[in-house]
């Protein structure tokens, strides 16, 4: 497992947990992609921003489409103290 940064404390909102369960997934699959620098379904500008943020200790955001086409976000704080798995509407 080649992770690019530490996640800090990992938490998930109840809505994200419910949606992942509904799709037969758990948070570890999206968390691992995020930690490996696979930012998911972002446009080129957001991918470049994440790559810059990774090197410059800024907040990181990933977005992943689930099998039912719903989305979950994964956000790591700038100081790498916490990573949250959430729904876009939870933000």
């Amino acid at each position: 497992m080649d992770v690019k940064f530490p996640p800090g404390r990992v938490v998930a909102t109840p809505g994200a947990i419910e949606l992942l369960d509904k799709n037969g997934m758990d948070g570890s699959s999206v968390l691992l992609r995020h930690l490996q620098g696979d930012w998911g379904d972002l446009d080129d500008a957001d991918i470049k921003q994440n790559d810059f943020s990774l090197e410059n200790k800024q907040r990181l955001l990933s977005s992943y489409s689930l099998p039912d086409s719903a989305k979950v976000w994964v956000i790591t704080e700038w100081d790498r103290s916490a990573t949250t798995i959430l729904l876009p509407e939870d933000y």
Side-chain angles (χ1 to χ4, degrees):
M1 178 170 77
D2 181 30
V3 299
K4 297 189 181 285
F5 58 93
R9 181 173 183 230
V10 177
V11 296
T13 64
I17 293 168
E18 181 179 332
L19 189 61
L20 287 163
D21 285 346
K22 178 181 161 191
N23 281 272
M25 301 172 69
D26 63 27
S28 63
S29 58
V30 294
L31 177 64
L32 182 57
R33 287 179 65 187
H34 178 74
L35 295 175
Q36 291 176 329
D38 170 358
W39 310 124
D41 305 316
L42 299 179
D43 62 28
D44 288 341
D46 288 333
I47 290 169
K48 286 178 184 174
Q49 179 61 50
N50 265 359
D51 291 340
F52 176 84
S53 296
L54 181 61
E55 297 301 318
N56 293 282
K57 298 263 181 156
Q58 296 179 9
R59 189 181 70 159
L60 299 163
L61 166 76
S62 295
S63 177
Y64 304 104
S65 294
L66 302 181
D68 70 357
S69 298
K71 288 191 181 285
V72 293
W73 285 358
V74 183
I75 298 174
T76 298
E77 298 303 324
W78 70 271
D79 62 358
R80 311 302 184 247
S81 63
T83 297
T84 304
I85 302 169
L86 68 158
L87 302 178
E89 57 266 27
D90 292 334
Y91 186 72

